[in-house]
Amino acid sequence: MSAEKARFELRLANTDADRLAAQRLRYRVFVEELGADGAMVDHKNRLEQDRFDPYFDHLVLFDADWPGDPIDSAVGVYRLMRDDQANELGRFYSEDEYDLTRLKQSGRKLVELGRSCVDARVRGGTAMFHLWNGLADYVIGHDIEVMFGVASFHGTDIETLKEPLSYLHHNHLAPEAIRVRVQDDHFQSMDLMAAQDTSRQRAMVATPALIKAYLRLGGFVGEGAFIDYDFNTVDVCLIMDTAQMSAKHRAYYEKGRVA
């Protein structure tokens, strides 16, 4: 076993301590780094949490070499909600932002991804691939057909984001059968520049790495953006039809799944 693999441990949270470690990581990234806030954010204990947490599976990557308090040893997290879990709750998390009717009526097996983040001290290394390994296992183990979830651009100034948003709208809009749309009360058009006026190179430079990664895997975006002032972000909904992923994309998605 390599030193790199020995250093990291990936598991679904199965104890309160695991879930608190995930919430502490989310606080470091979303609150301390990116300036987010929310009704249930616990600033005293440095926990980013909300009322949906008990209904999600939490895929957490731990750094076994972390010398301090174990609650700070989480370095990567994904929050996952399958459609059967959403049925128990009565909704998906992102339904405040997006009309998910087409996905919910598709008859496909769904999983919603959210709160994805990696700690700054391991960002740019292999931590994200460890998380993707676990996500691939989860998707395969539950026969998931469509993955979706909100991903974010930092900041809420639409003018500075008009080129990457327009590029996504013109080049990566989801097929109608699975195209979700921002709720009417919060709809922000992404069609802000003519297609011929956008540059792929400029747009991709301004697009967060996580969004670019899902585009490389064959992902799409829903229609419209959502401005989240609490989280200081502009959100897009990413959608991936796993059944239509090309062999190349599937190999890329699962390439880290080695012993």
Side-chain angles (χ1 to χ4, degrees):
M1 178 181 292
S2 69
E4 174 74 8
K5 286 186 70 66
R7 175 184 175 185
F8 292 116
E9 180 184 355
L10 181 71
R11 63 178 179 266
L12 288 174
N14 52 32
T15 66
D16 288 341
D18 286 350
R19 284 180 282 274
L20 288 172
Q23 292 170 345
R24 172 64 62 82
L25 171 61
R26 284 159 40 184
Y27 188 92
R28 291 199 301 270
V29 174
F30 296 125
V31 180
E32 294 180 339
E33 282 191 47
L34 301 178
D37 204 352
M40 291 181 62
V41 171
D42 183 345
H43 293 287
K44 179 180 178 181
N45 294 302
R46 299 175 58 233
L47 302 173
E48 193 281 301
Q49 55 190 359
D50 66 25
R51 67 185 182 88
F52 294 92
D53 277 332
Y55 298 92
F56 276 83
D57 287 336
H58 303 263
L59 183 65
V60 190
L61 183 68
F62 292 92
D63 183 348
D65 291 343
W66 177 246
D69 190 328
I71 196 175
D72 291 315
S73 66
V75 295
V77 66
Y78 257 116
R79 201 168 73 161
L80 311 169
M81 180 184 282
R82 302 183 308 276
D83 42 16
D84 58 297
Q85 294 166 309
N87 290 338
E88 179 183 349
L89 175 60
R91 52 164 296 170
F92 285 103
Y93 168 79
S94 57
E95 288 189 73
D96 280 344
E97 299 186 13
Y98 285 86
D99 180 351
L100 304 180
T101 301
R102 289 182 178 178
L103 279 182
K104 293 169 69 174
Q105 293 181 348
S106 69
R108 316 286 294 282
K109 295 191 71 172
L110 310 174
V111 67
E112 180 180 38
L113 314 179
R115 292 301 200 274
S116 172
C117 60
V118 173
D119 190 274
R121 64 181 182 260
V122 297
R123 203 171 295 156
T126 62
M128 196 68 216
F129 285 100
H130 286 287
L131 282 172
W132 280 359
N133 293 343
L135 181 58
D137 287 335
Y138 189 95
V139 165
I140 293 168
H142 291 282
D143 297 320
I144 299 299
E145 297 174 86
V146 178
M147 303 186 299
F148 72 97
V150 170
S152 303
F153 290 83
H154 182 52
T156 58
D157 184 355
I158 290 294
E159 181 65 21
T160 65
L161 298 173
K162 65 181 182 180
E163 185 159 27
L165 292 176
S166 297
Y167 184 84
L168 292 178
H169 173 83
H170 292 304
N171 296 279
H172 296 284
L173 197 61
E176 285 195 19
I178 56 173
R179 185 184 303 167
V180 304
R181 188 180 191 277
V182 173
Q183 299 285 2
D184 289 343
D185 290 345
H186 304 289
F187 187 84
Q188 166 61 55
S189 175
M190 294 167 59
D191 187 5
L192 303 170
M193 294 175 62
Q196 65 269 20
D197 294 334
T198 63
S199 157
R200 181 185 184 280
Q201 182 177 8
R202 290 195 305 264
M204 289 298 98
V205 167
T207 299
L210 183 65
I211 297 177
K212 288 189 286 192
Y214 280 109
L215 297 180
R216 287 194 297 268
L217 295 173
F220 303 102
V221 296
E223 183 179 358
F226 176 89
I227 304 175
D228 189 336
Y229 292 102
D230 285 340
F231 256 70
N232 191 33
T233 59
V234 172
D235 298 343
V236 297
C237 189
L238 291 169
I239 307 155
M240 183 177 298
D241 185 337
T242 62
Q244 294 183 15
M245 289 167 65
S246 69
K248 177 181 177 182
H249 289 145
R250 188 175 292 275
Y252 179 87
Y253 179 59
E254 298 179 6
K255 72 179 180 180
R257 300 177 66 243
V258 294

